Amino acid sequence: MSTTYTVTGMTCGHCVASVKEEVGEVPGVTAVEVDLASGRVEVTGQADDNLVRAAIKEAGYDVA
């Protein structure tokens, strides 16, 4: 199962790495793909939506 989020505020490769690291630590996440240009973050696995959103916020970004 995969879920796509639109994340705002990412501007560089470091932003992408931060989001991937935080979301990747959420229990149940098996993969994270981030597209900087579109702000799209695709999360694969059986993760709790609220935990994924919290991880994105922890990385310093917002879910649109």
Side-chain angles (χ1 to χ4, degrees):
M1 181 178 133
S2 68
T3 306
T4 301
Y5 300 87
T6 301
V7 177
T8 59
M10 295 188 299
T11 58
C12 64
H14 180 264
C15 301
V16 169
S18 294
V19 170
K20 284 182 88 163
E21 181 179 345
E22 289 293 336
V23 174
E25 292 177 2
V26 173
V29 171
T30 56
V32 181
E33 294 298 324
V34 180
D35 181 66
L36 178 60
S38 66
R40 184 185 60 78
V41 176
E42 186 173 340
V43 179
T44 304
Q46 297 289 333
D48 182 285
D49 181 68
N50 291 327
L51 293 178
V52 172
R53 289 173 181 271
I56 292 168
K57 280 229 179 262
E58 180 68 27
Y61 307 98
D62 292 311
V63 178

